[in-house]
Amino acid sequence: MATNTRYLRHRLLPLVAAMLVSGAVGGLTVGWGLSRQAEPGTAPAATPTAFVRTAAPVTAPGAGQVDFAAIAQANGAAVVNISVSGTRRVGLQGEGPRQGISPFGFPFPFPDGGEAPRNDIVRGQGSGFIVDKDGVILTNAHVVDGASRVTVKLPDRREFQARVLGTDPMTDVAVLKIEAKDLPTVPLGSEKDLRVGDWVLAIGSPYGFENTATVGVVSAKGRSLPDESYVPFIQTDAAINPGNSGGPLFNAKGQVVGINSQIFSHTGGYQGLAFSIPIDVALKVKDQIVKTGQAQHARLGVAAQDVNQPLAESFGLDAPRGALVAQVEPGSPADKAGLRSGDVILRVGKDPVERIADLPLLVGQAAPGERVEIGYWRDGREAKTSVELASAADSRTASAKGDGAAGSEHKLGLMLRPLSEPERRASGARQGLVIEDVTGAAELAGVQAGDLLVGINGKPVNTVDEVKAEARQAKQSIALQLMRDGATLFVPLRVG
């Protein structure tokens, strides 16, 4: 597991042995190591006399104070430890080095000795919490992914074999069931009531240390993580470590507002950046799984990005808002409804889309087959269209298509030339110009030599003259539509 200057995103499970909008718009490879690892899970237990059976909202002991001790004591009985086990085939020639796990849950490679293939037992631990007195437990999908046996251990030391009712990889939510009655449960709140700066408390089993409580504040809301754009994560600086995955995040009233899921870290451990799935999202998934055994999400069929100030100026928006459509999947609901690259989605139904994180959540709240109205910005004015949403299970990777002319545009800092026929075939581009070199404004904006320039301000470009014409009309900035490594992105560029 490389640890360079870039942040590594980790699932939170210690193992002690070896922008399409899909459901929305739309994690590292799931495996038995720490980086984006699976955490198996199990179910709840009985109520020890030291704990209150059903927690009520906890009031602060004084003005401006929060009684974290009361929250932990009232809810600890409903927070469970989940251990999982499964098998992994190792020792095959040609598969590269195998991976071991250190005592603290960090993976390390060791050479394949060329031995005969065999199945090794692998184990992991995570956390969960009881939401129904008859044994329904919420945890992360990556906790139980690939597990053949899931054991739930309650704080009173009772253990149960859990049944996985269902998992939803898109939201990383799993629902477990244990055969027990009259169990303690946690009170449920809503992420909508949280404010940045509010106190929060996490309880879980980091590195196997059960019922560990840590405190922090809400650092941000609606965070969109790479490849996890369906979930508007709650960011917190509460100490979260491997093994906390699936555990609850409480607000100052003692209500669960999130499920601890991921961290950003150079080391694999806590560095002040933890992310939790809003309980509002998790409960919708839970209800579907309990009823049908699976969760369904709607899909629009676009890849989108946030709108910053330069992009807003380029498209004539009054403020940076909405979700800028970078790609439209051919044949998708968005394509059939007439949406195209360069549109800025401002509304889904009656709900505004202020930032890209809003889009997947709003689309995902609808059911596949449901018809919704999409409000969008195009050519300096607002328009709307009706879209019949598809199922996220049918999602495919969208590809952007992008003939050429030669020349240069010094105002933008771009050296441009036409696409050759081999380049056109290799890239799949039907239009656009090859960027041979970048200087000045383009270099500062992050444009790279080798990028294909396929559009400006949402309009396709085929010749250098078209590029120059758009640049002359620009007041402060323009939005370059680029193809890079098969993906489409918009880059705002200051002109002048």
Side-chain angles (χ1 to χ4, degrees), residues 311 314-315 342 379 455-459 470 474 477-481 490:
L311 285 173
S314 302
F315 290 104
D379 297 333
I456 294 180
N457 293 343
K459 301 177 182 178
E470 290 295 332
S477 62
I478 62 175
L480 304 182
Q481 184 180 354
F490 283 87

Side-chain angles (χ1 to χ4, degrees), residues 241-274:
N241 283 291
N244 274 113
S245 269
L249 184 73
F250 294 93
N251 61 16
K253 298 178 181 178
Q255 302 167 328
V256 174
V257 291
I259 303 177
N260 300 317
S261 176
Q262 298 188 42
I263 59 175
F264 270 94
S265 176
H266 284 298
T267 64
Y270 168 72
Q271 288 190 301
L273 291 166

Side-chain angles (χ1 to χ4, degrees), residues 3 15 84 96 112 125 187 189 236 252 255 281 284 347 406 429 451 481:
T3 53
L15 300 175
V84 299
D112 191 327
Q125 294 187 46
T236 176
Q255 302 167 328
V281 173
K284 291 181 180 179
R347 178 173 50 82
D451 289 345
Q481 184 180 354

Side-chain angles (χ1 to χ4, degrees), residues 27 69 72 85 99 135 207 219 235 279 310 313 319 336-337 361 408 442 483:
S85 61
Q99 192 175 66
Y207 302 110
S219 304
Q235 181 183 332
I279 195 64
E313 294 170 356
K336 294 176 182 178
L361 181 60
S408 64
M483 284 185 65

